[in-house]
Amino acid sequence: MTSNESFFNNISLFYDKMTGYDKALKSRMDIYKNFISDGMKSAVDLGCGTGLDSIALSLKGLSVTGFDISAGMLEKAKEKSAELKLKI
């Protein structure tokens, strides 16, 4: 396991609280409405962490695939998207 992978696996349990996830999601939704056009259908989120941008983009109607080095972060992203019934 790389040191970055280990670090993000360790903080995945409290990362959203540390970064203010709920407020950040609202902010991302506001930002994305300014540049997502009707022609955009999909997005890739590299380093998706717990899924903040992936979820915001999906809620804006895009098909999203998220990637991250950390299995812990990916698990949190999957849990959050499942709670919202999003297929990311």
Side-chain angles (χ1 to χ4, degrees), residues 2 4 7 12 15-16 18-19 23 28-31 36 55 63 70 76-79 88:
T2 67
N4 285 343
F7 172 76
S12 66
Y15 184 80
D16 289 336
M18 180 179 75
T19 59
K23 185 176 180 181
R28 290 299 204 290
M29 296 288 292
D30 290 340
I31 291 167
I36 295 176
I55 289 170
S63 173
S70 166
K76 291 294 179 186
K78 288 177 185 178
E79 289 171 10
I88 299 174

Short mmCIF file of all heavy atoms in Angstrom, two decimals, residues 2 4 7 12 15-16 18-19 23 28-31 36 55 63 70 76-79 88:
data_model
loop_
_atom_site.label_atom_id
_atom_site.label_comp_id
_atom_site.label_asym_id
_atom_site.label_seq_id
_atom_site.Cartn_x
_atom_site.Cartn_y
_atom_site.Cartn_z
N THR A 2 0.61 2.20 -0.85
CA THR A 2 1.39 3.43 -0.90
C THR A 2 1.06 4.30 0.31
O THR A 2 0.01 4.14 0.94
CB THR A 2 1.10 4.22 -2.18
OG1 THR A 2 -0.25 4.68 -2.14
CG2 THR A 2 1.35 3.41 -3.43
N ASN A 4 0.19 7.48 0.33
CA ASN A 4 -1.01 8.26 0.06
C ASN A 4 -2.26 7.41 0.25
O ASN A 4 -3.25 7.86 0.84
CB ASN A 4 -1.00 8.82 -1.36
CG ASN A 4 -0.07 9.99 -1.52
OD1 ASN A 4 0.34 10.59 -0.54
ND2 ASN A 4 0.28 10.30 -2.75
N PHE A 7 -2.84 6.89 3.96
CA PHE A 7 -3.31 8.11 4.58
C PHE A 7 -4.80 8.32 4.32
O PHE A 7 -5.58 8.56 5.25
CB PHE A 7 -2.50 9.31 4.05
CG PHE A 7 -3.03 10.64 4.51
CD1 PHE A 7 -2.81 11.09 5.80
CD2 PHE A 7 -3.78 11.43 3.65
CE1 PHE A 7 -3.31 12.31 6.22
CE2 PHE A 7 -4.28 12.65 4.06
CZ PHE A 7 -4.05 13.09 5.35
N SER A 12 -10.65 8.40 5.79
CA SER A 12 -11.94 8.27 5.10
C SER A 12 -13.12 8.25 6.06
O SER A 12 -14.21 8.69 5.70
CB SER A 12 -11.96 7.02 4.22
OG SER A 12 -11.91 5.83 4.99
N TYR A 15 -13.39 12.18 6.99
CA TYR A 15 -13.04 13.16 5.96
C TYR A 15 -14.18 14.15 5.67
O TYR A 15 -13.96 15.35 5.58
CB TYR A 15 -12.63 12.43 4.67
CG TYR A 15 -12.16 13.34 3.58
CD1 TYR A 15 -10.86 13.84 3.58
CD2 TYR A 15 -13.00 13.70 2.53
CE1 TYR A 15 -10.41 14.68 2.59
CE2 TYR A 15 -12.56 14.54 1.53
CZ TYR A 15 -11.27 15.02 1.55
OH TYR A 15 -10.83 15.85 0.57
N ASP A 16 -15.40 13.65 5.54
CA ASP A 16 -16.54 14.51 5.21
C ASP A 16 -16.83 15.52 6.32
O ASP A 16 -17.16 16.67 6.04
CB ASP A 16 -17.79 13.69 4.92
CG ASP A 16 -17.69 12.96 3.60
OD1 ASP A 16 -16.92 13.41 2.73
OD2 ASP A 16 -18.38 11.95 3.44
N MET A 18 -14.59 16.66 8.41
CA MET A 18 -13.44 17.55 8.40
C MET A 18 -13.55 18.61 7.29
O MET A 18 -13.14 19.75 7.48
CB MET A 18 -12.17 16.71 8.20
CG MET A 18 -10.88 17.49 8.17
SD MET A 18 -9.44 16.41 7.96
CE MET A 18 -9.57 16.00 6.23
N THR A 19 -14.13 18.23 6.16
CA THR A 19 -14.18 19.13 5.00
C THR A 19 -15.52 19.83 4.84
O THR A 19 -15.69 20.59 3.89
CB THR A 19 -13.86 18.36 3.71
OG1 THR A 19 -14.81 17.30 3.53
CG2 THR A 19 -12.45 17.80 3.74
N LYS A 23 -22.15 21.42 3.22
CA LYS A 23 -22.01 22.78 2.70
C LYS A 23 -21.27 22.76 1.35
O LYS A 23 -21.63 23.49 0.43
CB LYS A 23 -21.27 23.66 3.71
CG LYS A 23 -21.19 25.10 3.32
CD LYS A 23 -20.54 25.93 4.41
CE LYS A 23 -20.46 27.39 4.00
NZ LYS A 23 -19.83 28.20 5.03
N ARG A 28 -20.91 23.13 -4.66
CA ARG A 28 -20.58 22.49 -5.94
C ARG A 28 -21.78 22.50 -6.88
O ARG A 28 -21.64 22.75 -8.07
CB ARG A 28 -20.14 21.05 -5.74
CG ARG A 28 -18.81 20.84 -5.07
CD ARG A 28 -17.67 21.45 -5.86
NE ARG A 28 -16.40 20.84 -5.58
CZ ARG A 28 -15.73 20.95 -4.45
NH1 ARG A 28 -16.22 21.63 -3.45
NH2 ARG A 28 -14.55 20.38 -4.30
N MET A 29 -22.97 22.24 -6.34
CA MET A 29 -24.17 22.25 -7.17
C MET A 29 -24.38 23.64 -7.78
O MET A 29 -24.71 23.76 -8.96
CB MET A 29 -25.39 21.86 -6.33
CG MET A 29 -25.36 20.45 -5.78
SD MET A 29 -25.61 19.21 -7.02
CE MET A 29 -27.31 19.52 -7.43
N ASP A 30 -24.16 24.68 -7.00
CA ASP A 30 -24.29 26.05 -7.50
C ASP A 30 -23.25 26.35 -8.58
O ASP A 30 -23.55 26.99 -9.58
CB ASP A 30 -24.16 27.06 -6.36
CG ASP A 30 -25.34 27.04 -5.40
OD1 ASP A 30 -26.42 26.54 -5.79
OD2 ASP A 30 -25.19 27.53 -4.26
N ILE A 31 -22.03 25.89 -8.36
CA ILE A 31 -20.95 26.13 -9.33
C ILE A 31 -21.22 25.39 -10.64
O ILE A 31 -21.10 25.96 -11.72
CB ILE A 31 -19.60 25.71 -8.73
CG1 ILE A 31 -19.20 26.66 -7.60
CG2 ILE A 31 -18.52 25.65 -9.81
CD1 ILE A 31 -18.05 26.17 -6.75
N ILE A 36 -22.35 23.45 -16.88
CA ILE A 36 -22.79 22.20 -17.48
C ILE A 36 -23.84 22.53 -18.53
O ILE A 36 -24.87 23.12 -18.23
CB ILE A 36 -23.36 21.22 -16.43
CG1 ILE A 36 -22.25 20.81 -15.47
CG2 ILE A 36 -23.98 20.02 -17.11
CD1 ILE A 36 -22.72 19.92 -14.34
N ILE A 55 -21.11 13.09 -6.94
CA ILE A 55 -22.52 13.21 -6.56
C ILE A 55 -23.12 14.50 -7.11
O ILE A 55 -24.21 14.49 -7.67
CB ILE A 55 -22.67 13.09 -5.03
CG1 ILE A 55 -22.41 11.64 -4.62
CG2 ILE A 55 -24.04 13.56 -4.57
CD1 ILE A 55 -22.28 11.40 -3.15
N SER A 63 -23.88 11.24 -16.23
CA SER A 63 -23.45 9.89 -15.89
C SER A 63 -22.00 10.01 -15.44
O SER A 63 -21.15 10.51 -16.18
CB SER A 63 -23.55 8.99 -17.12
OG SER A 63 -22.98 7.73 -16.86
N SER A 70 -7.78 5.27 -2.90
CA SER A 70 -8.15 4.79 -1.57
C SER A 70 -9.45 3.97 -1.59
O SER A 70 -10.51 4.49 -1.92
CB SER A 70 -8.33 5.99 -0.63
OG SER A 70 -8.98 5.60 0.56
N LYS A 76 -16.87 5.01 0.94
CA LYS A 76 -17.72 6.12 1.39
C LYS A 76 -18.49 6.73 0.21
O LYS A 76 -19.67 7.06 0.34
CB LYS A 76 -16.89 7.20 2.08
CG LYS A 76 -16.32 6.77 3.41
CD LYS A 76 -17.45 6.55 4.38
CE LYS A 76 -16.92 6.09 5.73
NZ LYS A 76 -17.97 5.74 6.65
N ALA A 77 -17.83 6.89 -0.93
CA ALA A 77 -18.50 7.43 -2.12
C ALA A 77 -19.65 6.52 -2.56
O ALA A 77 -20.73 6.99 -2.90
CB ALA A 77 -17.50 7.62 -3.26
N LYS A 78 -19.42 5.22 -2.51
CA LYS A 78 -20.47 4.26 -2.88
C LYS A 78 -21.64 4.34 -1.90
O LYS A 78 -22.80 4.30 -2.31
CB LYS A 78 -19.90 2.84 -2.89
CG LYS A 78 -18.98 2.57 -4.05
CD LYS A 78 -18.40 1.17 -3.96
CE LYS A 78 -17.39 0.92 -5.04
NZ LYS A 78 -16.76 -0.41 -4.94
N GLU A 79 -21.34 4.43 -0.61
CA GLU A 79 -22.40 4.53 0.40
C GLU A 79 -23.25 5.79 0.18
O GLU A 79 -24.48 5.73 0.22
CB GLU A 79 -21.79 4.56 1.80
CG GLU A 79 -21.20 3.25 2.26
CD GLU A 79 -20.42 3.38 3.56
OE1 GLU A 79 -20.49 4.45 4.22
OE2 GLU A 79 -19.74 2.41 3.93
N ILE A 88 -23.36 5.75 -9.60
CA ILE A 88 -22.06 6.34 -9.92
C ILE A 88 -21.04 5.22 -9.98
O ILE A 88 -21.01 4.38 -9.12
CB ILE A 88 -21.64 7.41 -8.89
CG1 ILE A 88 -22.68 8.54 -8.89
CG2 ILE A 88 -20.26 7.93 -9.17
CD1 ILE A 88 -22.47 9.60 -7.83
#
